Amino acid sequence: MNGSTILLAAIAAGMGVIGILLFRASPRLTFVVWALVLFFVPVWIGVNVGFFWSAITLLTLVAVLTNISDIRLNGIDLLMAVFALMAATQFALKMTGLSATVIALLEWVLPYIWGRLVLARVKRSFVTAVIAAVVTAAAVFGLVEFASGTNFFVSLPAMGADLYATWGPLQVRADRLRVEGAWGHSIAMGAAFAMSAAFVVAARWPVAVRLAALGLITAATVTTISRIGILTLAFSVVLSVLLLPGLAKAMRWSVAVLAVVAMLVIIPFLGEVFLEAGDEAGGSADYRSGLFSLVSQVQVFGSAGDWSGLTVGGEYLGAYAKSVDNAFLVFALRFGWIPSVLLVAVLVLAATYILRRATVSPPSIAVASQLPAIFAVALITQAGSYLWFLAGLAVAWAQQGHDADAAVDQSERPSLFSMSRTNDASVFASRR
């Protein structure tokens, strides 16, 4: 190791220490940086420390370590803890591979923990505002990408060569670029927009600003040309308008009008795209239905092993060796039925918070809107981490109950251009 390498390592270590101290001192800064990295830093950006750590995974770990707080645990947390214990135990017994275990612990369990912790030090109104602002900015970037035909993010350094090889290539459907931003795949970006829509509806912004933001997000989701992304976005917006407490009538009716206008524009566009795509779009749907032939390989506990060379019922399973676009089936193939049922139960229970007015929240709506998607797409790139973060956030949000934020939300005035009143000095104030 030469002198320049040592110097660079020392500088990096020093900056890391400073960053950790800043994150510990300012939880709001931690969350803002985390959200920006989530939406604007691809998974192939990161560092090699034993193995490759994507920037979002490393930052999530730092966020957890610098914001550890006392929280009240519940049954959903117990399910997640049991799954984590099962995953680690199965790896120790050589029933599950290293890669699957690392993904489960660092990309599923760790973001869930971050979601459970964040509200202990940051107010709900701040989390809502940050996610709403960042996703709106990402939507603008997406529309620029669609209009220009250029994705800026794929020109960033390929620090993780394997990840870049998998997620760097751009997708095209019917000769149209499928927008993916920094998410590495159009489906992942569409899912991110869908999960974030509820935060835009709930943000304490003027109604006109929220409508404009929803319009941008809807347009950007359409440019991903992801059917499941568009469908789950619709679920998220409808659930938000119907269930979120404290929304003004002006907001509810305005969203309804926006939805009608969007349908008149979106349906002809998508019809033209999928008509031009022809067999490619149909083949995508056939592929997903054929995945159920893998069910026979799932074990009660542990990995399904190497099934890529098998033929079951005349179906060659090697056709699915590169990808399995069904998150629940991926869980089951990697860890077995029992751990997978526990994992899905966490998502389902986090989604059930929408059933009570006292516990419904943007993250619970986001998770509920994604439940159909876990049987149709895999949790790829940072979309999986985002979903598990929101699951943890939904649990934390429900446990807080009606605090000052809820009281402020109820005071929203039904004016198209009015700002909601706030009893706090600032919606960006941190809970201490």
Side-chain angles (χ1 to χ4, degrees):
M1 182 179 293
N2 57 40
S4 60
T5 302
I6 295 175
L7 178 60
L8 289 174
I11 293 174
M15 293 179 64
V17 171
I18 293 173
I20 289 173
L21 293 175
L22 287 174
F23 283 179
R24 181 59 189 170
S26 177
R28 288 176 293 175
L29 174 64
T30 305
F31 188 72
V32 169
V33 173
W34 181 84
L36 289 172
V37 170
L38 176 71
F39 275 86
F40 294 109
V41 178
V43 290
W44 59 79
I45 301 295
V47 295
N48 273 298
V49 182
F51 53 88
F52 186 78
W53 293 70
S54 292
I56 186 60
T57 301
L58 185 60
L59 189 57
T60 303
L61 177 62
V62 173
V64 168
L65 294 177
T66 56
N67 288 274
I68 292 177
S69 304
D70 291 332
I71 58 173
R72 180 167 53 89
L73 303 179
N74 66 8
I76 301 178
D77 299 322
L78 177 61
L79 290 178
M80 200 64 173
V82 170
F83 168 78
L85 179 61
M86 283 184 174
T89 301
Q90 289 186 165
F91 172 69
L93 297 176
K94 299 183 179 180
M95 298 171 64
T96 304
L98 175 62
S99 176
T101 306
V102 169
I103 289 173
L105 297 181
L106 295 184
E107 298 183 15
W108 304 346
V109 177
L110 185 65
Y112 175 86
I113 295 172
W114 172 224
R116 289 289 282 116
L117 291 174
V118 65
L119 293 186
R121 303 195 69 202
V122 177
K123 294 188 73 171
R124 299 187 298 182
S125 56
F126 181 78
V127 170
T128 300
V130 169
I131 292 178
V134 172
V135 72
T136 303
V140 172
F141 271 81
L143 293 174
V144 171
E145 177 183 342
F146 183 74
S148 65
T150 302
N151 184 308
F152 159 77
F153 299 100
V154 298
S155 63
L156 295 177
M159 297 179 179
D162 291 341
L163 288 172
Y164 184 81
T166 301
W167 305 116
L170 299 176
Q171 302 168 287
V172 175
R173 174 168 282 174
D175 296 325
R176 289 180 172 86
L177 176 68
R178 298 182 66 181
V179 170
E180 58 188 57
W183 292 79
H185 199 286
S186 57
I187 290 177
M189 190 171 193
F193 287 146
M195 288 187 280
S196 305
F199 292 89
V200 175
V201 175
R204 293 210 297 267
W205 297 345
V207 174
V209 175
R210 281 181 283 175
L211 290 175
L214 279 177
L216 291 170
I217 292 169
T218 301
T221 304
V222 171
T223 62
T224 66
I225 318 180
S226 167
R227 287 165 292 193
I228 193 67
I230 295 168
L231 184 62
T232 54
L233 174 69
F235 288 162
S236 182
V237 173
V238 169
L239 290 174
S240 298
V241 171
L242 292 178
L243 301 178
L244 284 178
L247 288 182
K249 288 184 178 180
M251 183 63 186
R252 299 185 194 275
W253 283 106
S254 298
V255 171
V257 172
L258 178 64
V260 173
V261 173
M263 288 176 60
L264 294 175
V265 176
I266 292 171
I267 292 177
F269 172 76
L270 291 180
E272 179 184 350
V273 170
F274 290 118
L275 181 63
E276 292 178 9
D279 294 340
E280 184 270 334
S284 176
D286 292 340
Y287 159 81
R288 286 184 170 85
S289 62
L291 286 172
F292 290 100
S293 59
L294 295 173
V295 170
S296 62
Q297 304 304 304
V298 178
Q299 308 297 313
V300 176
F301 288 98
S303 168
D306 184 11
W307 39 262
S308 60
L310 300 178
T311 299
V312 176
E315 185 81 22
Y316 175 55
L317 302 188
Y320 309 108
K322 289 186 177 180
S323 67
V324 177
D325 288 350
N326 182 313
F328 176 69
L329 193 52
V330 170
F331 300 159
L333 288 169
R334 291 177 179 176
F335 298 101
W337 285 121
I338 301 301
S340 301
V341 169
L342 292 178
L343 200 58
V344 173
V346 171
L347 293 176
V348 172
L349 290 174
T352 59
Y353 285 126
I354 69 172
L355 301 178
R356 294 184 57 214
R357 181 181 176 85
T359 57
V360 64
S361 64
S364 63
I365 288 174
V367 174
S369 71
Q370 290 299 305
L371 289 182
I374 66 173
F375 298 98
V377 296
L379 299 181
I380 53 179
T381 68
Q382 58 265 55
S385 296
Y386 191 26
L387 175 61
W388 288 110
F389 164 78
L390 292 174
L393 184 64
V395 177
W397 201 298
Q399 283 197 338
Q400 277 202 355
H402 288 288
D403 61 2
D405 283 348
V408 171
D409 289 340
Q410 295 288 345
S411 69
E412 183 184 41
R413 292 181 291 180
S415 170
L416 187 60
F417 292 95
S418 65
M419 287 292 289
S420 298
R421 294 188 301 269
T422 174
N423 297 326
D424 301 316
S426 169
V427 296
F428 299 103
S430 173
R431 293 184 80 248
R432 296 293 182 184

